[in-house]
Amino acid sequence: MNSSKAEKIGVYAIKNEVLKNEFLDDEIPVNDKTPSWDGEIFVYNDRNHKASNLYGTVPVQVKSRQVKKLNQGKIKYRLHKKHIQNYFHKGGVLYFVVEYINSEQTKIYYDTLLPLDLKKLIQALMDKQSTFHEFTALPEEKGAMDTICRQFILNSNKQKTLDVLNIEVTDINKGSFVIPSVNSKLSTIFNYPTYIYSKERHYNLEIPLEKIQIFQVIEKDNLEIGVCGEIYYPDITRRIEKDRVILEFGKGFKMEFQRDSKLTDQNIDINFTETGGLKDRIKDSRFMLKISNARHIEIGGHLIQLNVDSDKVVKELPDRIKYLEELNQVLKLLNIPYDVPMDILEADDYRNFEHLRNIILYKDYSRIELKRSSFLNIRISNMDILLAVTKENEEWCVFNAFESERLFRIVASEDKDGPKFEISPYMLLKINKLFKKANLNLKEVEKSLLQIDYEMDSARSLVNNFLLDIINYYDDVNKNKEFLTVVENVYRHLMKFDDEDDETYFLNVMQITKRKRNFNDNELELIFEKKANQEEPFMICGYSALLGNKTEFDFYFSRLTEEEQERFKAFPIYNLIADN
């Protein structure tokens, strides 16, 4: 077929599509000699095609080629660099490729080539003079050509005013994202490519980032989910796709139905997968059991019949729910405040969890070697749980280690033949281990420390070192001010047994205060007074660190021996001045 006839077939195919749309008109002559463009499509806001009703114009290029068989979804067609550059400088082109077998059998493919697209094509071409570009079949729905033209005008107006070749993603500041559309119809969103823009607050610009095809719209909705008049979930996540809608609620529920259908007109399949934390699993499983018995679900007040194998669910779920509830009961009894991430548990974790359940709920100690009082650690995933093993009324028992009054006694002495004194069993553990226990109860740790008899210097010295370790842990690992409160309360108790001339505990209380807040006038006056009466460089260093006086600290620190300097650096009070 000669080129003139081929061109006519292509142009008439486009004109025919334009004629189907009341708001469109065209000026696409046959045998047009204009470089790069073949004509224009006019888009109006009214069926009356007056100039005052003109929405905009779309420059078009029409190419045609004969084929033996019409393709379906996409084709590729060669574009030349000189034309791409022309399109870029004029704000883009709506490019059509018409494939035909004969004048009666045609198919239109298109792409909206706007400045953002053309910029990428020019950059990809480099020294090449042409490239093959992908084109998509024109949608068959009514008004497709109208939508494509309006989208083209909308985005062309946004892009042709910017020198997009000079705008790089790295130059864009953080802002919001905009996806413009000529209407809010879901068919427009899913059937036609669109563009995403970065809305820059500082310059009030919308900078084009990418051409995108939207496959799914996700939205939150305050749609209540329940059964038998009881609300279980206050909202849902709705995932809308071209042909279907997926409702998600809880942690493990999904319901799928056709987008254009009504929920109340059909029985719906519900997919339940046990997932999430322990509490989520219990709640979801209870709900699944209820809707299985009822054979329906209530969504936004509407009763929806369900397709569910209720006999199987009713048979299996009660035992599963009991199992999950027992695990949750164990966490409550151990005062573990957070949920267990069940999704990451491995086989050993489940075995340890069940072992813990058997110990706490059923007093089953068969897997424990009961020979002496001690601590027992059970690890579940990244969670360490501390239990205590001891005898009560001549019977072995295992319980939450943070029940301090039930704990075993620990007797210590400075040397083998020296006087004996009791210390807290928690002092057997390193702070970085103790304070990472999932069932840690600081009030019980404090209570245990306050019950020690502090009449002996040795007891006070050991506890002082333990408290200093807690302050170091606060500085280095976890700035939880509850740690400081425990330490401060114990130090204030220790001061009742302190020699009036020893200012160690006072300094330690003040360094805790410094970490919590600024000193008040009374505290500053007392610090100045004690510092003025102090002659020991070691102690003066402590006061200088409290006050943040780096010059004075350096002066007195230089007068310490090397051994004294290293000893001072080991104390947490040094942390107050080290970074100044």
Side-chain angles (χ1 to χ4, degrees):
M1 188 176 291
N2 64 55
S3 60
S4 175
K5 192 168 184 179
E7 182 183 352
K8 287 178 181 179
I9 291 174
V11 170
Y12 289 149
I14 302 303
K15 282 178 169 289
N16 188 49
E17 284 297 322
V18 171
L19 285 172
K20 295 177 184 178
N21 294 268
E22 294 179 308
F23 294 91
L24 301 183
D25 201 352
D26 74 84
E27 184 62 46
I28 310 174
V30 178
N31 297 322
D32 181 71
K33 302 301 181 182
T34 306
S36 302
W37 289 271
D38 286 327
E40 294 178 315
I41 295 175
F42 303 98
V43 184
Y44 293 90
N45 291 323
D46 192 273
R47 292 180 179 84
N48 188 340
H49 293 182
K50 296 191 302 185
S52 59
N53 293 329
L54 184 65
Y55 175 72
T57 60
V58 179
V60 299
Q61 173 70 291
V62 182
K63 295 293 183 182
S64 54
R65 65 183 179 188
Q66 190 170 25
V67 294
K68 293 182 179 179
K69 180 181 179 181
L70 296 176
N71 292 289
Q72 293 303 312
K74 297 180 183 293
I75 64 167
K76 287 197 172 184
Y77 192 83
R78 185 186 295 276
L79 298 180
H80 293 274
K81 186 175 184 179
K82 59 184 178 181
H83 296 307
I84 295 172
Q85 291 171 329
N86 289 339
Y87 302 146
F88 175 77
H89 292 300
K90 291 296 184 180
V93 66
L94 179 52
Y95 204 109
F96 294 106
V97 178
V98 179
E99 288 192 342
Y100 65 91
I101 297 174
N102 52 52
S103 60
E104 301 296 325
Q105 294 177 284
T106 63
K107 193 171 185 65
I108 301 172
Y109 302 85
Y110 82 101
D111 195 14
T112 53
L113 297 176
L114 291 178
L116 178 66
D117 313 304
L118 297 163
K119 164 195 170 181
K120 293 184 176 181
L121 284 172
I122 292 169
Q123 291 175 335
L125 277 168
M126 300 180 69
D127 295 331
K128 294 188 294 184
Q129 297 305 307
S130 66
T131 184
F132 281 97
H133 185 70
E134 188 172 78
F135 292 83
T136 303
L138 186 75
E140 295 180 358
E141 67 177 22
K142 184 179 179 181
M145 183 69 82
D146 183 274
T147 299
I148 291 168
C149 289
R150 291 181 188 276
Q151 290 279 86
F152 180 95
I153 294 168
L154 174 66
N155 287 285
S156 178
N157 289 337
K158 288 179 176 294
Q159 295 182 26
K160 68 185 179 183
T161 58
L162 295 173
D163 186 2
V164 292
L165 272 183
N166 295 326
I167 298 175
E168 299 294 338
V169 174
T170 53
D171 297 331
I172 297 174
N173 299 317
K174 289 183 178 178
S176 58
F177 296 103
V178 178
I179 303 176
S181 179
V182 293
N183 61 58
S184 58
K185 294 179 181 178
L186 289 173
S187 60
T188 301
I189 293 172
F190 293 127
N191 290 345
Y192 305 95
T194 187
Y195 295 83
I196 184 169
Y197 297 80
S198 173
K199 188 175 180 63
E200 300 305 300
R201 292 188 296 266
H202 185 67
Y203 298 105
N204 195 30
L205 293 175
E206 292 183 4
I207 300 173
L209 298 179
E210 194 70 54
K211 179 189 278 187
I212 61 173
Q213 179 71 56
I214 295 175
F215 296 101
Q216 188 179 79
V217 175
I218 303 173
E219 58 186 20
K220 293 284 187 180
D221 193 347
N222 297 326
L223 201 61
E224 295 177 333
I225 306 291
V227 62
C228 301
E230 183 180 358
I231 303 302
Y232 271 71
Y233 306 97
D235 51 45
I236 63 163
T237 296
R238 184 185 287 107
R239 298 180 182 272
I240 306 171
E241 298 177 359
K242 185 175 181 178
D243 298 318
R244 66 175 183 166
V245 177
I246 303 168
L247 301 184
E248 298 176 350
F249 54 92
K251 282 291 183 181
F253 287 101
K254 287 185 180 181
M255 296 175 63
E256 181 181 327
F257 53 94
Q258 294 300 305
R259 184 161 69 84
D260 295 328
S261 64
K262 290 184 179 180
L263 274 173
T264 51
D265 292 343
Q266 55 187 310
N267 285 5
I268 302 293
D269 293 327
I270 187 164
N271 182 281
F272 170 57
T273 304
E274 186 187 298
T275 187
L278 184 55
K279 293 175 183 176
D280 292 320
R281 289 168 182 248
I282 293 171
K283 181 178 180 179
D284 284 358
S285 297
R286 287 173 178 168
F287 184 67
M288 185 63 194
L289 183 60
K290 280 215 167 189
I291 62 176
S292 298
N293 283 321
R295 291 183 177 271
H296 73 263
I297 189 172
E298 292 164 17
I299 302 178
H302 298 286
L303 190 147
I304 312 298
Q305 299 297 329
L306 295 175
N307 294 323
V308 60
D309 186 354
S310 59
D311 292 339
K312 181 180 179 182
V313 172
V314 171
K315 181 180 178 181
E316 296 178 355
L317 259 186
D319 288 341
R320 180 61 180 173
I321 292 171
K322 180 186 176 185
Y323 171 78
L324 295 171
E325 287 176 338
E326 285 185 344
L327 298 184
N328 192 52
Q329 184 183 358
V330 169
L331 298 183
K332 287 183 177 179
L333 291 172
L334 293 172
N335 295 312
I336 296 175
Y338 48 84
D339 208 352
V340 177
M342 302 289 286
D343 290 336
I344 65 172
L345 299 190
E346 298 180 355
D348 285 346
D349 298 317
Y350 274 102
R351 281 192 288 270
N352 288 341
F353 212 156
E354 291 165 9
H355 177 41
L356 180 65
R357 176 199 60 178
N358 294 340
I359 291 172
I360 299 300
L361 297 186
Y362 299 110
K363 312 301 179 188
D364 178 0
Y365 308 146
S366 57
R367 290 175 54 187
I368 305 172
E369 190 175 3
L370 302 172
K371 287 187 176 181
R372 60 185 178 87
S373 295
S374 62
F375 285 122
L376 171 66
N377 188 77
I378 294 181
R379 186 168 182 81
I380 301 171
S381 185
N382 58 354
M383 183 171 64
D384 285 303
I385 299 167
L386 190 66
L387 303 180
V389 180
T390 193
K391 273 190 173 183
E392 289 182 344
N393 300 321
E394 301 303 317
E395 294 287 337
W396 286 105
C397 59
V398 184
F399 54 90
N400 183 1
F402 294 97
E403 297 177 46
S404 60
E405 292 184 356
R406 297 179 66 187
L407 279 179
F408 43 83
R409 297 169 62 235
I410 298 295
V411 178
S413 64
E414 284 193 303
D415 53 66
K416 184 177 179 180
D417 298 322
K420 305 289 190 295
F421 54 90
E422 283 192 27
I423 61 170
S424 166
Y426 301 122
M427 293 170 62
L428 296 175
L429 302 172
K430 291 188 177 298
I431 294 298
N432 64 350
K433 298 290 186 182
L434 176 65
F435 279 19
K436 289 181 180 178
K437 302 303 179 186
N439 56 327
L440 172 66
N441 187 324
L442 289 172
K443 291 187 181 298
E444 292 296 316
V445 174
E446 179 182 328
K447 185 193 298 184
S448 178
L449 293 171
L450 292 176
Q451 289 175 345
I452 295 173
D453 183 355
Y454 287 112
E455 292 296 338
M456 293 186 61
D457 289 342
S458 301
R460 295 199 297 275
S461 177
L462 281 176
V463 171
N464 179 56
N465 290 335
F466 184 73
L467 297 176
L468 293 175
D469 286 343
I470 295 177
I471 301 175
N472 271 325
Y473 182 82
Y474 171 87
D475 286 346
D476 298 338
V477 180
N478 185 345
K479 287 186 166 44
N480 180 352
K481 286 193 166 47
E482 291 182 10
F483 299 157
L484 299 181
T485 300
V486 171
V487 176
E488 182 178 10
N489 291 342
V490 177
Y491 267 130
R492 291 194 183 278
H493 180 69
L494 278 172
M495 291 172 74
K496 301 173 185 177
F497 304 89
D498 191 18
D499 185 338
E500 291 184 3
D501 295 331
D502 189 349
E503 299 173 9
T504 301
Y505 298 151
F506 172 79
L507 278 171
N508 288 336
V509 169
M510 287 298 99
Q511 71 164 308
I512 293 167
T513 302
K514 176 78 171 179
R515 285 170 170 82
K516 287 183 170 183
R517 57 172 173 79
N518 294 327
F519 295 126
N520 60 39
D521 290 345
N522 291 335
E523 290 163 343
L524 284 172
E525 183 178 353
L526 190 56
I527 292 170
F528 289 140
E529 179 185 333
K530 288 183 176 291
K531 176 174 169 291
N533 294 327
Q534 186 57 247
E535 296 180 354
E536 290 292 329
F538 197 93
M539 298 299 290
I540 294 175
C541 283
Y543 285 110
S544 300
L546 278 181
L547 296 169
N549 191 329
K550 188 69 164 60
T551 301
E552 184 179 56
F553 175 84
D554 289 342
F555 176 81
Y556 285 99
F557 191 75
S558 66
R559 277 152 178 72
L560 302 180
T561 65
E562 188 173 323
E563 182 181 344
E564 288 174 327
Q565 288 181 351
E566 291 304 312
R567 188 158 63 93
F568 191 95
K569 287 180 179 180
F571 292 133
I573 200 167
Y574 179 71
N575 298 337
L576 299 178
I577 199 73
D579 297 329
N580 283 5

